[in-house]
Structures are given as structure tokens and as C-alpha cells.
Amino acid sequence: MGHLDHATFGWLTPVLSYAMACIGAALGLRCTVRALDATGRSRRNWLLTAASAIGTGIWTMHFVAMLGFGVTGTDIRYNVPLTILSLVVAVAVVGVGVFAVGHSRERVRALLLGGLTTGLGVASMHYLGMAALRLHGDVSYDPLLVVLSVVIAVVAATAALWAALNIRSPRAVAVASLVMGAAVSSMHYTGMFAVRVSVAPSDAALPGATTMQFIFPLAVGLGAYLFLTSAFVALTPTARERAAYASAGRSGESEHAELAEHAEHAGPAPAPAPTTS
């Protein structure tokens, strides 16, 4: 049995992965709030952004945490196609859940169905990512911990969708994103604690890419996407803000018109009285 180390870089990877999960959750919640206040194509675009943000945040959290994963007695490589597939699955299943709550009129049913679908998708992303591992040995799992990790994923996803429907203020979104980040991280590490590795030492070259060749550059790129999208969302006015600006503009024009009309009816100003010496 190989010794598993989940934090070969100390607290750096757990803290950084938690931060990525929180950023993705916060961005996804803000985009969903924007979507619920919009209609038509605008709603669809905001929901797509929310799905990509949450899915990307979850995937980045998983693989940033995996940067700190090591097994004594063997190197680790990653199958590139399976790793990419896990990212696609993460974004796609989150999209199903987000669109379910964003368009359905039966909110409770959509919330439960979306939470179940998204949670199972998040768990699938995690275990697809683990299936991409290549090492000298065999990987097995503790069934009870696997089931627990899936339950945590479903509960976390349902809570995230509920927050997207019910939370509006930026402060509440910030708190909810911290809770969601903790839930996603808990799911990940519960799944990781379920891992058992039987190492079979070998000098043969492992197929696949190392973390620094593939995982690290991709995680950095996706992290940059999250930060840039967060800046875009923060600088884009909400529908209520645009309505307020338009209302203020109409009020200003109306007031200007009233002043002009009043001046027109008042006639020219009287000439000053002549002075006598």
C-alpha cells in the first residue's frame, strides 16, 4: 500500500483550491442573479456564463488540489483526453442545473432535479479526473466514502442552486460562495480519502502528462478566465441599475423641458427702468 500525501506543498494547494471554488461560486451566483432579472437572449447568455463559471471553478478547485497529491513509490501522470472530458462534464452538468432553475416555472421541482443532476455531474467530474491518473500500481476506493462524497456533492449543488434563486445582495452572495466553496472542497477531500493505492514499483515510463506539463498551465488559464470574467461582471450594470439610470435621465429631461416651458410662458424679462440724473 502506497502512502498518499494530499498536501505535498503544505497548505498552499488546499487553500488555493478552496479560493478557486469560492471565486467560481461567487461569479456563478452573480451571473444567475443577472439572468433572473433578464429575458430572452440576455438571460441565456448570463446562464451560460454562470454555468461556465461554476463548472470551471469546481474543475480548477479539483486539479489545483491534485497538484499537491502524491504517492510514495511511484510517479503520477494524467491522461489528457480524460482530463479534458472531466472539464466538459463539469461545465455541461452545471449548465443543466442552472438552466433548469433559470427557466422552469416550478421552482421546487426544478431545484431538486437540478441539484441531483448537477451533484451527480460534479461527482462524475471528480471520478473522471481520478480515472485520468496514471501510476505504477492499482487504485481502489472505499465504497462508503465514495457514497458520502456523492451525497455531499448533491447537497452542495442543491444549496448552490437554491442560493442562486433566493440570494440577491452582494454580501449574501459572498457568504454563500464561502459556504459553497467549503462544500465543494469537502466533497473533493472526502473522495480523496476514499482512495487506496497498491504500488507496483516499476522503471517503465508512464503514459500521459505531468502536472506541470498540463494540469498547472490549464489551471492557471482557467483561473485567469475566472478573474477576468469576475471583473467584467462587476463592471457591467445590472438591469435594475440600467433602469435607474434611464429613469434618472428621463427625469432630468422632463425637468429641463418644464423649465424651458415656464421660461417661454413667462415672456421676456422686463427692461430695466431708466435712470435720471
Side-chain angles (χ1 to χ4, degrees):
M1 183 72 68
H3 174 71
L4 278 60
D5 190 348
H6 298 285
T8 58
F9 297 105
W11 285 101
L12 176 62
T13 49
V15 171
L16 186 56
S17 63
Y18 171 69
M20 299 309 299
C22 291
I23 292 170
L27 179 56
L29 288 178
R30 291 304 297 165
C31 290
T32 307
V33 168
R34 301 290 183 92
L36 295 176
D37 289 336
T39 56
R41 182 179 298 178
S42 179
R43 169 173 287 197
R44 181 202 64 190
N45 292 340
W46 279 118
L47 289 175
L48 286 172
T49 306
S52 67
I54 298 175
T56 298
I58 293 171
W59 187 94
T60 307
M61 176 270 146
H62 171 81
F63 280 100
V64 167
M66 291 303 290
L67 292 175
F69 177 69
V71 182
T72 57
T74 177
D75 294 329
I76 294 177
R77 299 289 187 272
Y78 289 88
N79 178 283
V80 174
L82 271 181
T83 304
I84 295 295
L85 178 61
S86 69
L87 173 60
V88 174
V89 167
V91 175
V93 296
V94 170
V96 171
V98 167
F99 272 84
V101 300
H103 286 286
S104 177
R105 295 181 179 179
E106 298 182 11
R107 292 293 177 85
V108 175
R109 181 179 179 182
L111 179 63
L112 295 177
L113 181 60
L116 177 62
T117 303
T118 304
L120 292 177
V122 169
S124 299
M125 179 279 300
H126 174 88
Y127 289 105
L128 268 175
M130 293 303 295
L133 279 177
R134 297 292 180 265
L135 48 76
H136 293 302
D138 297 319
V139 178
S140 59
Y141 296 90
D142 182 324
L144 290 179
L145 287 178
V146 169
V147 171
L148 179 59
S149 70
V150 174
V151 171
I152 293 174
V154 172
V155 172
T158 305
L161 295 177
W162 178 89
L165 288 173
N166 295 280
I167 291 177
R168 290 291 183 271
S169 71
R171 180 175 298 179
V173 167
V175 173
S177 66
L178 293 176
V179 175
M180 289 166 55
V184 172
S185 296
S186 298
M187 177 268 161
H188 170 82
Y189 283 105
T190 300
M192 293 308 297
F193 289 141
V195 176
R196 303 289 184 268
V197 178
S198 298
V199 176
S202 172
D203 294 330
L206 288 167
T210 67
T211 55
M212 291 303 170
Q213 288 174 335
F214 176 63
I215 300 298
F216 180 73
L218 186 56
V220 170
L222 294 176
Y225 161 76
L226 289 176
F227 280 107
L228 292 175
T229 308
S230 298
F232 169 77
V233 172
L235 294 174
T236 303
T238 64
R240 295 180 182 179
E241 290 171 343
R242 287 195 297 269
Y245 295 153
S247 177
R250 287 192 297 268
S251 298
E253 291 176 359
S254 176
E255 182 179 352
H256 179 73
E258 289 178 2
L259 290 174
E261 184 179 357
H262 176 74
E264 182 179 348
H265 288 302
T275 57
T276 57
S277 55

